[in-house]
Amino acid sequence: MGNRMEHYETEVSEYDCACGAGNYTISKYKYRDDYSSEEIKTVSLINCSTCKDDYLAADQYIVPKQLDQILSEATAEVNNLCQVIKEYSLAHYKKDMIHYVTSIPVTRWYALWQIISPSIQTFRKDLKMLNGQANAFEYHLMGNHENTIKRIIATLEKCGIEDSKLSQWISDLGVLTHKETQAKNEINKALFKGKLNKKYVTYEDPYWI
Ligand SMILES: [Zn+2]
């Protein structure tokens, strides 16, 4: 066995499906190695021809496919607009932004960007390294998350930059984010958890091993 992960058991939970004609199962395939590290791979399966068309299995629940689709679209729209805002801001105002954050005390930069990790001490040390300021600027604006956009917006405000295109996008982003939150709430309301029919352990290896 050594440090190779090997399957040792599978815990299967079977629940009633939403229409009641079939069921859905959540199988937790458990693996471990000689050093007692464990890994669990979870596979959900809907065993009902009706519910299979309308639902997706998600952990112990099944979720209407239609709502999941709406949420995926809403999330994609938020992410796309975040990317547009970031690219535009950096293309037009990167110099102003870097100039601003590097001219204020480190603690104010840290607070303005609501940085949690690394600690302020490490952040301060990182800035003193070769190209530290430029690297920190890039690093803490990585990705197109809403968090990144908040940092950009806060910095542009401090720089006193007014840009009607950006203002419009930022207001659009508020609308899209709200839509995404609503889609999440709809899913939470619609989560279906059937009655647990049985729970058992099997030792048969999964087909993919
Ligand atoms: Zn069903």
Side-chain angles (χ1 to χ4, degrees):
M1 210 148 79
N3 56 7
R4 210 174 82 88
M5 284 287 177
E6 290 199 10
H7 173 256
Y8 68 97
E9 68 172 36
T10 305
E11 190 187 287
V12 185
S13 305
E14 184 193 296
Y15 300 88
D16 279 342
C17 67
C19 78
N23 63 63
Y24 65 97
T25 55
I26 314 295
S27 304
K28 291 186 190 301
Y29 294 92
K30 302 182 179 179
Y31 296 78
R32 72 178 161 212
D33 63 13
D34 282 349
Y35 308 101
S36 330
S37 306
E38 284 215 29
E39 265 174 31
I40 298 179
K41 186 176 158 64
T42 305
V43 176
S44 311
L45 209 60
I46 299 176
N47 308 300
C48 167
S49 50
T50 311
C51 291
K52 219 180 212 163
D53 288 340
D54 301 338
Y55 288 88
L56 285 173
D59 202 13
Q60 321 160 40
Y61 302 96
I62 53 176
V63 181
K65 270 187 191 172
Q66 205 195 351
L67 295 181
D68 184 75
Q69 180 67 27
I70 292 172
L71 175 59
S72 301
E73 282 167 16
T75 303
E77 280 187 276
V78 168
N79 292 344
N80 288 342
L81 187 54
C82 284
Q83 189 177 348
V84 169
I85 294 175
K86 181 179 163 183
E87 279 173 8
Y88 179 89
S89 305
L90 292 180
H92 291 81
Y93 306 115
K94 188 173 172 178
K95 262 190 194 158
D96 305 80
M97 290 168 67
I98 291 188
H99 176 76
Y100 179 78
V101 292
T102 55
S103 66
I104 53 177
V106 172
T107 46
R108 278 182 55 201
W109 181 2
Y110 193 81
L112 180 69
W113 282 18
Q114 300 187 12
I115 297 170
I116 296 162
S117 170
S119 67
I120 179 77
Q121 291 85 354
T122 309
F123 183 67
R124 200 186 285 280
K125 248 187 250 164
D126 289 346
L127 292 182
K128 286 183 184 143
M129 307 225 295
L130 185 65
N131 300 322
Q133 291 181 329
N135 288 342
F137 184 87
E138 299 283 339
Y139 178 78
H140 291 285
L141 292 184
M142 264 196 322
N144 295 309
H145 315 291
E146 287 167 66
N147 224 4
T148 309
I149 303 307
K150 274 187 197 157
R151 288 174 182 169
I152 291 175
I153 294 171
T155 312
L156 292 174
E157 261 172 30
K158 292 285 185 189
C159 293
I161 287 163
E162 281 177 31
D163 182 313
S164 56
K165 216 174 191 177
L166 265 176
S167 311
Q168 184 57 51
W169 282 332
I170 290 165
S171 124
D172 292 348
L173 185 61
V175 175
L176 293 181
T177 310
H178 181 66
K179 232 170 89 180
E180 189 190 22
T181 308
Q182 276 183 323
K184 279 181 194 161
N185 291 342
E186 287 303 311
I187 285 192
N188 284 335
K189 272 191 268 169
L191 285 177
F192 176 86
K193 187 177 179 186
K195 185 171 83 64
L196 181 65
N197 279 330
K198 50 183 168 182
K199 193 169 178 172
Y200 57 93
V201 170
T202 146
Y203 301 98
E204 208 177 305
D205 284 331
Y207 64 88
W208 64 79
I209 270 289

